[in-house]
Amino acid sequence: MLAEQVDVVIGVDTHKHTHTAAAIASSTGAALAHTTVTADAAGYAELIAFADQHASSRGWAIEGAGGYGAGLTRHLTDCQEIVLEIDRPKRPKRRAGAKTDLIDAERAAREALARDHLAQPKTGAVRAALQMRLAARRAAVTASADAQKQLLALVVTAPQRLRDRFAGQRTPAVIATAAKLRATTTGDVEYDTAVAVLRALARRIQDLQTEAATHQTAICALVRSWRPDLLDQPGIGPIVAATVLTAWSHAGRCRNDGAFAMLAGAAPIPASSGMTVRYRLNRAGDRHLNQALHTITLTRLKHDPATRAYAERRRKEGKSDRDIRRCLKRYICRDLYRRLEHQSPLDAS
């Protein structure tokens, strides 16, 4: 329990321009003081001075540590402070009372005191770099896919003499052909506009694909510099490895493999009642991490002999393919956690 480790917990409600902090006594839960500072280096120094006035033994409970509170979290971590991440409250918790920055700051501190298991914020320069690269690549891939759908739809409705130039072509060839179109001034406004739009869309797709490839190359280099051992595991490529590493962050963030599985949405949720024993699908957690586990599972089911033998054995026991995939995801989650926690060839900081 946090109350056994510190004398004061400082809850912080973070926003884009300001942070509001409340100091709460861990022994009584009473509010000692509060302050509001600017969300910059000067404000972070003010918060440290504010904390020094109340206790030397303290912990910080930050709401939004991965968003508006990222700068403050990084500063406190560098100062060797105890920093905990608190989720934003759900709407039902707010219906019975008012909402202010001070109320949220006090709630964050008291919630940290009440929890048995506390979440550490993500840390590490390489992890932060991977997360930025992944976010940028994901946006480029999504935008490219949307543009490809638009391009193919416009080809279908283009004037026939223009549409004939794409006959029998698959998507990559359609993109290449459209990118090579030259602007025309035939006097046919529909034809000239179709050529211009198809050419612009195709070149946008090519630019986005180039951008995504550049991010992927950088991601691969970062993963190899941090945890190259992950790339030796079946079904794990640079994108999957980067997704796992950004969710895991550092040793000790997840207390055990069960907590890591819950973070990944791969831990089954008990839903038993009376004489019925069953589990329901976990749809919570980090969905990008869950998708990475799903990719590993499908790849191993297709190419890994040991995984295929396991799946065949479970089918003979009466398990469905869906149940087998869920079991494999939980097993992979456990294996990844142990590998990440106990094998750290390089430091991510």
Side-chain angles (χ1 to χ4, degrees):
M1 297 292 290
L2 184 61
E4 300 172 355
Q5 304 175 34
V6 299
D7 297 328
V8 170
V9 177
I10 301 172
V12 184
D13 182 39
T14 60
H15 292 278
K16 184 175 183 179
H17 301 295
T18 62
H19 297 334
T20 299
I24 303 295
S26 59
S27 58
T28 63
L32 302 178
H34 62 85
T35 186
T36 298
V37 301
T38 55
D40 53 24
Y44 304 156
E46 284 185 48
L47 277 181
I48 294 291
F50 167 77
D52 288 338
Q53 295 173 3
H54 296 91
S56 58
S57 175
R58 71 234 180 182
W60 299 77
I62 300 181
E63 182 182 287
Y68 289 139
L72 175 60
T73 301
R74 191 179 300 112
H75 180 81
L76 294 175
T77 302
D78 292 341
C79 293
Q80 305 298 316
E81 298 279 343
I82 299 175
V83 184
L84 306 169
E85 184 176 7
I86 299 297
D87 299 331
R88 295 191 183 277
K90 295 181 180 179
R91 290 185 181 275
K93 292 186 178 181
R94 288 176 170 168
R95 287 176 184 168
K99 181 205 176 301
T100 65
D101 294 346
L102 176 57
I103 290 174
D104 283 348
E106 292 180 352
R107 180 202 60 81
R110 293 191 174 106
E111 189 169 322
L113 286 170
R115 288 188 178 182
D116 293 329
H117 303 298
L118 300 169
Q120 298 178 13
K122 298 177 181 179
T123 61
V126 178
R127 182 215 57 81
L130 278 175
Q131 186 162 315
M132 287 187 285
R133 287 286 186 180
L134 281 173
R137 178 188 175 276
R138 194 176 295 123
V141 170
T142 301
S144 175
D146 289 342
Q148 288 181 44
K149 294 175 185 176
Q150 294 171 357
L151 177 65
L152 295 175
L154 289 174
V155 166
V156 171
T157 59
Q160 189 61 45
R161 59 176 172 150
L162 179 59
R163 183 180 176 184
D164 290 341
R165 301 179 65 173
F166 300 94
Q169 294 183 349
R170 294 185 177 274
T171 301
V174 170
I175 296 171
T177 301
K180 295 176 183 177
L181 292 175
R182 294 185 178 182
T184 60
T185 54
T186 62
D188 185 341
V189 64
E190 181 185 9
Y191 181 86
D192 294 342
T193 301
V195 168
V197 171
L198 291 178
R199 180 171 177 265
L201 276 174
R203 295 194 173 187
R204 183 196 305 172
I205 293 168
Q206 290 178 336
D207 289 341
L208 288 168
Q209 289 175 339
T210 301
E211 180 186 344
T214 301
H215 289 310
Q216 182 162 339
T217 301
I219 288 169
C220 186
L222 288 169
V223 171
R224 290 190 183 282
S225 70
W226 183 10
R227 292 303 301 260
D229 57 308
L230 286 182
L231 299 177
D232 296 331
Q233 302 304 307
I236 300 182
I239 302 303
V240 168
T243 303
V244 172
L245 287 169
T246 53
W248 170 73
S249 180
H250 60 276
R253 180 169 183 259
C254 295
R255 62 186 181 277
N256 53 39
D257 65 275
F260 186 63
M262 186 63 72
L263 173 65
I269 305 299
S272 303
S273 179
M275 298 180 65
T276 301
V277 178
R278 70 181 187 90
Y279 296 87
R280 66 177 177 84
L281 185 64
N282 187 345
R283 298 188 182 278
D286 186 329
R287 304 316 298 174
H288 292 305
L289 178 56
N290 186 278
Q291 184 181 24
L293 292 177
H294 190 68
T295 300
I296 298 171
T297 300
L298 294 183
T299 304
R300 291 186 180 182
L301 281 171
K302 188 174 182 179
H303 300 289
D304 184 44
T307 304
R308 293 170 65 88
Y310 170 82
E312 187 60 32
R313 177 169 60 83
R314 297 309 296 267
R315 285 192 193 96
K316 293 179 180 178
E317 295 174 0
K319 290 283 188 182
S320 67
D321 287 349
R322 181 176 293 181
D323 289 337
I324 292 170
R325 287 195 297 269
R326 291 175 184 171
C327 292
L328 283 170
K329 288 170 72 172
R330 181 65 181 88
Y331 168 80
I332 293 168
C333 202
R334 183 185 301 114
D335 179 68
L336 283 173
Y337 174 81
R338 293 175 179 174
R339 190 176 301 277
L340 290 168
E341 290 288 316
H342 303 301
Q343 299 179 21
S344 300
L346 297 173
D347 186 10
S349 61

